[in-house]
Amino acid sequence: MKKLFKQRKKASKSFMRLCKMGLYINLTFLCIFLGSVAYLGLGAFQQTYILADADRNVLAFSLLSRAEQRKIRTGQITEKTWLLANSEVDQYMKKKYNRLSDDEKALVDSLIQTDEIRLQFNVNFFLNGDSKSPENSGIFASVVGTLLVMLVCMAVSVPVGVCAAIYLEEFAPQNLFTHFIEVCINNLASIPSILFGLLGLGVFINLFGMPRSSALVGGLTLAIMSLPIIIVSTKAALKSVDINMKNAAYALGMTKVQMVRGIMLPLALPMILTGSILTLAQAIGETAPLMIIGMIAFIPDVANSIFTPTSVLPAQIYSWSAMPERAFLERTAAGIIVLLALLVVLNLTAVLLRKYFQGKLR
């Protein structure tokens, strides 16, 4: 007996060591990922500017971005001011790979000595839309598009998913047909997301004629993808309600509708909100289904409604990663940082809402 106890204790310690090792490995890979993204992307939050005038014959004219050169040619700039440098100069200022000639590097060094070139906070990255020039590209249009897509997705998937889960859990007859529906829902929650993109292309665009690349189509496609997960998580939340609370409601003379509305939903609400927000956080990072419906296209303008073409942040990151200019690598990593920040905000919101409603229930 004593020997068996020692063996069990030894096995328990070995299992704990294995669990700790798995945790440390996960943390190591997470630190490597976050460190590499931060190393590549933090430089995009600064941009190089040159103090130049409207004279096209000045040597610094060749170091400016094409947009600033166009402004000088058209007479939009008439006095000496800080103008945006091109991406190669920006990469040289950040001591990264660039294609500047030796004469251009010497000119940049001379401007550094006279304090006529400097790194400033990159406002364009947050206020501009997409651009073919790295120095002018930004995430504003894609962030607005992401918010519109998520609003449509949330407005459709959460009410429909919660109502479907309530019906299946409390009102639907338990027969072969409802079991078949539940099996289909569980299977839909695990299929590849790109198939939902094909469904959105075939149904919303080809069948109903909705505008391609719009936030409406993107939101509905992500809503279909999120519905099975919301239904499954809502059913789990409803099953977690104590059966004694339901029986007490029936003993007081409540109908089933009154019991669901007054007892089950308030008690299951923290878990329902947590599952719904985490599902939406997962949907916000999906790229494959949105690529199928055309949201990978070059759309620099900000969408003013859910019916106009727009882009989303994951598709924007994918587009930048395929660009040949090295400066777009910074933008790609910086876009990942912004996307991770949005996901952290959504996850914190889920945690805070759960704690808030759990405190009210107590």
Side-chain angles (χ1 to χ4, degrees):
M1 191 71 175
K2 188 175 182 182
K3 185 178 179 181
L4 181 61
F5 178 75
K6 287 183 178 179
Q7 289 178 351
R8 291 177 59 186
K9 191 174 182 180
K10 184 178 179 180
S12 178
K13 288 183 178 179
S14 300
F15 181 72
M16 289 179 63
R17 291 195 197 99
L18 185 63
C19 293
K20 287 182 179 180
M21 186 182 300
L23 177 63
Y24 294 148
I25 291 174
N26 287 331
L27 288 176
T28 300
F29 281 111
L30 178 62
C31 292
I32 292 173
F33 168 71
L34 294 178
S36 60
V37 170
Y39 173 76
L40 293 172
L42 289 179
F45 297 116
Q46 286 188 316
Q47 191 66 35
T48 302
Y49 287 83
I50 300 175
L51 185 61
D53 52 26
D55 189 0
R56 295 170 54 183
N57 297 320
V58 177
L59 293 176
F61 179 80
S62 61
L63 303 179
L64 300 176
S65 67
R66 286 178 294 179
E68 303 288 21
Q69 291 178 359
R70 192 181 305 113
K71 291 179 181 179
I72 292 177
R73 292 193 190 100
T74 56
Q76 298 181 38
I77 298 175
T78 57
E79 57 184 14
K80 198 170 186 179
T81 184
W82 289 98
L83 302 177
L84 187 65
N86 61 44
S87 60
E88 300 298 332
V89 175
D90 183 65
Q91 293 294 290
Y92 178 75
M93 289 289 291
K94 296 172 182 175
K95 304 186 185 305
K96 296 182 179 180
Y97 174 81
N98 58 86
R99 295 178 294 179
L100 291 180
S101 64
D102 293 337
D103 293 338
E104 290 174 330
K105 291 179 181 178
L107 177 58
V108 172
D109 293 335
S110 65
L111 292 175
I112 294 175
Q113 296 295 327
T114 58
D115 197 25
E116 293 182 341
I117 185 171
R118 64 179 59 173
L119 287 169
Q120 300 179 7
F121 181 71
N122 190 4
V123 181
N124 293 334
F125 182 75
F126 296 97
L127 299 182
N128 287 3
D130 194 12
S131 174
K132 296 297 183 182
S133 301
E135 63 272 8
N136 288 309
S137 58
I139 61 171
F140 183 65
S142 59
V143 169
V144 172
T146 301
L147 294 177
L148 291 176
V149 168
M150 295 314 299
L151 285 175
V152 174
C153 177
M154 181 175 61
V156 174
S157 62
V158 175
V160 174
V162 172
C163 291
I166 293 173
Y167 176 77
L168 289 174
E169 186 65 27
E170 294 296 329
F171 298 99
Q174 299 301 313
N175 52 31
L176 186 62
F177 180 68
T178 55
H179 287 307
F180 174 73
I181 291 177
E182 291 179 358
V183 170
C184 291
I185 290 173
N186 292 328
N187 290 332
L188 285 173
S190 59
I191 67 173
S193 60
I194 194 170
L195 298 180
F196 292 102
L198 294 173
L199 179 64
L201 176 64
V203 175
F204 300 127
I205 295 178
N206 295 335
L207 183 61
F208 293 110
M210 294 182 180
R212 191 181 182 90
S213 304
S214 63
L216 178 63
V217 176
L220 291 176
T221 303
L222 294 182
I224 293 177
M225 188 192 70
S226 304
L227 267 177
I229 306 176
I230 293 177
I231 292 174
V232 171
S233 62
T234 303
K235 287 187 65 178
L238 295 173
K239 287 179 181 178
S240 66
V241 177
D242 190 0
I243 189 66
N244 294 323
M245 299 293 292
K246 298 169 62 175
N247 294 333
Y250 289 137
L252 293 174
M254 287 186 177
T255 63
K256 179 167 282 193
V257 174
Q258 290 174 331
M259 184 273 298
V260 170
R261 186 178 60 187
I263 301 298
M264 290 196 68
L265 272 182
L267 292 176
L269 189 59
M271 290 185 63
I272 293 174
L273 286 176
T274 302
S276 300
I277 293 175
L278 293 180
T279 303
L280 295 175
Q282 177 188 355
I284 200 176
E286 289 291 340
T287 308
L290 300 179
M291 290 172 57
I292 301 296
I293 61 174
M295 302 195 80
I296 197 67
F298 177 73
I299 305 174
D301 298 326
V302 180
N304 52 18
S305 71
I306 61 175
F307 303 102
T308 55
T310 184
S311 181
V312 290
L313 195 52
Q316 182 79 77
I317 293 171
Y318 177 80
S319 299
W320 282 345
S321 67
M323 290 293 184
E325 291 88 348
R326 293 293 295 267
F328 275 113
L329 182 62
E330 276 187 349
R331 268 63 181 177
T332 301
I336 293 173
I337 292 175
V338 175
L339 183 59
L340 288 175
L342 290 176
L343 294 177
V344 169
V345 170
L346 285 175
N347 282 273
L348 286 177
T349 302
V351 172
L352 293 175
L353 286 175
R354 184 180 62 201
K355 289 185 176 296
Y356 172 74
F357 283 104
Q358 283 178 346
K360 289 190 69 175
L361 290 175
R362 290 194 187 97

